[in-house]
Amino acid sequence: MTSIAVPEHPWLLPGELAVPVDRARTHPRRTTRDWLVDTIAFLVSLLWVLFATADALSPDPSMATALPHGWMTGADALIGLVCCGLLWLRRRWPLGLLVATTPLSLFSMASAIPLLIFYFTVVVHRRTAVAIAVTGVGLVTNMVFSWLRPDPAMSYWATASWGVVLSFAVLAWGMFVRARRQLIVSLRERAERAEAEQQLRVTQARHLERTRIAREMHDVLAHRISLLSLHAGALEFRPDAPADEVARAAGVIRGSAHAALQDLREVIGVLRAEDDGAGDAPEPPQPTLADLPALIAESRSAGVRVNVSDSVASPGEVPAALGRAAYRIVQEGLTNARKHAAGAAVTVDVAGGPGAGLTVAIGNRWPVGAPAGGTLPGAGTGLVGISERVTLAGGRLAYGRDDSGDFRLAAWLPWPA
């Protein structure tokens, strides 16, 4: 599948939206943009701690009532500095840091900006219910702070109202950022899914086109071969025909045979073409019924006791496709015997002839201790593929335990006369 296009400046995206997304990581890596934002947040918070501490130490504080003891101001500054340092951890534990530092908002002025950044991070990275819950807690602490450290220039309700407005402004901003990121992630997932579906549609269209070509070529080849049969029959029926008629019929036969071979060569090239463009590479020869002795010898060399009964009337006349199907059936039967009945003797029976069909049967003793059942234990895609192959060839397949309790895989394939 073709990958989604990478943005021109991925370093400007937050870690959650970085391309490519590392879904294996619980916490995404910080991008350049994240490091820049964290650095700015740290510096702004640090400047606020210094400003709030200097204002609290002044004879006439402008932001809140001064603390009654000097050491409290120093403690407030230390708390602010600790919160500034915790800003570097807010992406990994946003809710935990906010819950741990929320009690500080009851009295600390120096930690106001870091706590506000913690709150914004929770709104962006946690679901709406959590954001509303922490907002409610923040409104309560805002009321208490306005009562404990009132602003000398404003009334209690004015100070508390400004805190409520600031909290809701941060909540709205954070929810907007979260909604925008969710939209981008949703659009990216939809694009990836649409691209995967497009690739699937292309693959299906390719297979459907190959099937259509095969059906069309069946009609074309049937037509051309019928012409060959017609003219060949005419020559056979009238061997004393004039020389010019014989030559004309032979020319038609030659031309039809050449066209049929050409069409067949083209359709085989199309059907063999691989999706990766390696359609021109030659394929290895496919096995036929003549390769069955080598398959049996290979199994015997692996220690399997195989008894073969081959009574095919005309081995040299077995069509290639029929012999290949029989070979695959025997191969699957021997594989299953080695897998599920190790040490058991295997019997292979191959019989048939033109017009009567080809019968292939593989049997082995049921392994001791195997679970009872009518099908092979653990049978998977191998038998499913063999069943599909036999069905496409117009034959019949049966497998399971026979009357004697042994396992038997038997197939009948049509062999035209």
Side-chain angles (χ1 to χ4, degrees):
M1 181 180 68
T2 306
S3 59
I4 301 298
V6 178
E8 184 177 359
H9 302 293
W11 57 274
L12 293 176
L13 295 175
E16 294 82 358
L17 303 180
V19 179
V21 180
D22 188 1
R23 295 181 173 88
R25 295 179 59 89
T26 305
H27 304 284
R29 296 179 181 274
R30 282 189 177 97
T31 61
T32 304
R33 177 256 185 202
D34 291 338
W35 283 107
L36 182 62
V37 170
D38 291 348
T39 302
I40 293 176
F42 174 77
L43 293 177
V44 170
S45 300
L46 185 61
L47 291 176
W48 171 258
V49 171
L50 298 177
F51 176 76
T53 303
D55 181 74
L57 294 175
S58 63
D60 186 15
S62 60
M63 295 185 297
T65 301
L67 294 170
H69 302 286
W71 66 268
M72 292 184 177
T73 303
D76 188 15
L78 180 61
I79 291 174
L81 293 176
V82 172
C83 291
C84 290
L86 293 177
L87 286 174
W88 296 103
L89 305 176
R90 65 187 178 89
R91 297 184 184 272
R92 183 174 293 271
W93 301 292
L95 183 59
L97 289 176
L98 180 63
V99 171
T101 56
T102 294
L104 301 177
S105 61
L106 295 172
F107 60 88
S108 176
M109 174 63 73
S111 61
I113 296 299
L115 295 180
L116 203 62
I117 296 176
F118 289 152
Y119 170 56
F120 175 79
T121 306
V122 170
V123 175
V124 171
H125 295 278
R126 294 296 181 265
R127 51 195 176 95
T128 304
V130 176
I132 294 177
V134 298
T135 301
V137 175
L139 294 178
V140 173
T141 58
N142 172 67
M143 296 295 182
V144 176
F145 177 84
S146 299
W147 178 69
L148 291 177
R149 300 188 64 179
D151 192 310
M154 290 189 296
S155 65
Y156 168 79
W157 291 110
T159 305
S161 299
W162 276 111
V164 172
V165 170
L166 182 61
S167 298
F168 279 109
V170 175
L171 176 65
W173 183 22
M175 293 182 66
F176 169 77
V177 173
R178 176 176 173 80
R180 182 176 178 274
R181 293 185 181 183
Q182 289 179 334
L183 176 61
I184 294 176
V185 171
S186 175
L187 292 177
R188 177 185 295 167
E189 292 177 350
R190 291 172 59 183
E192 293 176 350
R193 184 165 57 250
E195 188 170 3
E197 293 174 353
Q198 174 65 19
Q199 295 293 331
L200 180 60
R201 285 193 294 268
V202 169
T203 302
Q204 292 176 344
R206 184 180 293 112
H207 286 296
L208 290 176
E209 181 64 16
R210 291 179 180 180
T211 303
R212 185 194 64 80
I213 292 174
R215 292 174 179 173
E216 182 179 353
M217 291 308 302
H218 172 270
D219 298 336
V220 172
L221 290 177
H223 171 71
R224 298 190 185 279
I225 293 175
S226 64
L227 290 179
L228 289 173
S229 177
L230 177 63
H231 287 83
L235 291 178
E236 182 181 10
F237 182 73
R238 291 193 58 188
D240 57 344
D244 57 342
E245 293 184 7
V246 174
R248 185 166 55 253
V252 173
I253 292 175
R254 181 185 59 81
S256 299
H258 178 77
L261 289 175
Q262 183 66 25
D263 294 337
L264 186 60
R265 185 182 299 111
E266 292 177 359
V267 71
I268 289 177
V270 172
L271 296 178
R272 285 183 176 179
E274 298 292 341
D275 294 341
D276 57 359
D280 296 334
E283 295 186 354
Q286 295 296 319
T288 62
L289 197 61
D291 299 311
L292 195 58
L295 177 64
I296 301 298
E298 181 181 4
S299 296
R300 287 173 174 169
S301 64
V304 181
R305 292 174 294 168
V306 185
N307 300 320
V308 182
S309 175
D310 190 352
S311 58
V312 177
S314 304
E317 298 179 4
V318 178
L322 179 62
R324 182 163 56 252
Y327 180 93
R328 295 303 184 192
I329 294 171
V330 175
Q331 185 181 48
E332 178 65 21
L334 293 175
T335 301
N336 285 335
R338 291 195 301 266
K339 183 186 301 183
H340 303 290
V346 183
T347 59
V348 178
D349 296 325
V350 182
L358 183 65
T359 301
V360 181
I362 303 96
N364 59 267
R365 297 299 299 271
W366 193 264
V368 178
T375 59
L376 177 66
T381 58
L383 289 176
V384 174
I386 292 298
S387 177
E388 182 68 15
R389 181 187 293 271
V390 172
T391 301
L392 292 176
R396 300 184 299 270
L397 178 70
Y399 56 88
R401 301 188 72 170
D402 56 14
D403 296 337
S404 62
D406 296 338
F407 181 80
R408 180 177 175 83
L409 171 64
W412 178 85
L413 302 170
W415 186 348

